Amino acid sequence: ASAYEIYRNTANDPASAVKLNPDSTMSPFDDTTVTTSVPYYYWLKAKNESGSSGFSACDMGYASSSGADTRWLPAVADFDGDALADPAVFQATTGKWRVKLSSAGYYLFTTDAGFLGTTNNTGLAADLDGDAKADPAAYDAATGYWSVRLTTAGYYRLNNVIMFGGPAFAPLAADLDGDAKADPAVYETSTADWVIKLSSAGYNEIPLANFMGGSGWTALAADFDGDAKADPAVYQTSSGIWVVKLSTVNYALEAAISFGSATYVTAAGDFDGDRLADPAIYNPV
């Protein structure tokens, strides 16, 4: 190829996509002619003196007005202690949370700005104190600091509870050892390394080198097999493939399902109260 034709659309349909000018002769290409917060879909055609190829596979992206991620991202957990997962979302730019509590007929509960988390934070929720109610938490990717609002402390805000992780890591929290307390963990996407702090082991760091995942995969953990221990899992955003290591089969690798696509993120939880986690996906754009 001597150049690449770039096509763009606001719908996932190459037939009605518009060609951007001029053609690109180098990578990367920055599209600076977009409307902020609008998702765009892109396709390429390779071009040389003989003509142009067919359309490539689709990819998508969007521009934020501030450079920070303004999306609402999921943090599903049982916030009200009724053994049903409650859908929840978190916005890092404001620190606001929105939760639909199952015990209140999924009525929308919204916090004030600054409740927990700021720009560059990841919101997550898990029962860290063992009272059967999820505790909202925030992870600062720049520093590796975790902050939390514990239900047993009246949701008092505890800042920088632990320093665990850093810029290369993504956080997760789930009860991996079956003691009814969620265990903090971090996952490095480039190496598939996991590090876990088990509550039953005094929260000492347990490294798991090249455990599962890798570049292009995101990590999660939920009790998919009903033994009260969360099962480590990864989700490939480009394909929607889920892979799970089940604790009931000694963490043997189990391919789960194809469920999702490039625009979705995961939000697994026990939505139906049968003590088995249900795979879920959420489209933030």
Side-chain angles (χ1 to χ4, degrees), residues 247-268:
S247 54
T248 50
V249 291
N250 199 28
Y251 301 100
L253 198 62
E254 296 285 337
I257 53 172
S258 177
F259 179 44
S261 67
T263 61
Y264 289 88
V265 292
T266 58

Side-chain angles (χ1 to χ4, degrees), residues 241-244 254-258:
I241 298 295
W242 298 57
V243 179
V244 184
E254 296 285 337
I257 53 172
S258 177

Side-chain angles (χ1 to χ4, degrees), residues 6 8 20-22 24 26-34 42 63:
I6 303 171
R8 184 182 76 191
L20 301 182
N21 290 309
S24 178
M26 59 190 303
S27 178
F29 171 82
D30 292 322
D31 187 2
T32 60
T33 62
V34 299
Y42 294 88

Side-chain angles (χ1 to χ4, degrees), residues 4-73:
Y4 292 91
E5 298 175 357
I6 303 171
Y7 291 79
R8 184 182 76 191
N9 200 350
T10 54
N12 191 359
D13 180 10
S16 58
V18 176
K19 181 177 175 293
L20 301 182
N21 290 309
D23 295 340
S24 178
T25 57
M26 59 190 303
S27 178
F29 171 82
D30 292 322
D31 187 2
T32 60
T33 62
V34 299
T35 301
T36 57
S37 301
V38 174
Y40 290 90
Y41 298 85
Y42 294 88
W43 298 263
L44 297 180
K45 287 186 177 183
K47 180 180 179 181
N48 61 21
E49 64 276 5
S50 299
S52 299
S53 71
F55 284 110
S56 70
C58 177
D59 203 354
M60 66 82 61
Y62 75 99
S64 168
S65 58
S66 64
D69 193 341
T70 60
R71 298 174 299 170
W72 292 84
L73 295 174

Side-chain angles (χ1 to χ4, degrees), residues 151-162:
T151 55
T152 51
Y155 294 101
Y156 180 77
R157 181 169 178 165
L158 303 173
N159 290 322
N160 303 339
V161 176
I162 55 172

Side-chain angles (χ1 to χ4, degrees), residues 43-115:
W43 298 263
L44 297 180
K45 287 186 177 183
K47 180 180 179 181
N48 61 21
E49 64 276 5
S50 299
S52 299
S53 71
F55 284 110
S56 70
C58 177
D59 203 354
M60 66 82 61
Y62 75 99
S64 168
S65 58
S66 64
D69 193 341
T70 60
R71 298 174 299 170
W72 292 84
L73 295 174
V76 168
D78 181 10
F79 289 91
D80 49 15
D82 65 351
L84 294 173
D86 305 300
V89 289
F90 163 79
Q91 188 179 46
T93 50
T94 62
K96 292 181 70 172
W97 292 67
R98 293 175 178 171
V99 183
K100 290 204 170 194
L101 296 175
S102 53
S103 60
Y106 296 100
Y107 178 79
L108 181 63
F109 170 76
T110 303
T111 67
D112 295 329
F115 175 74

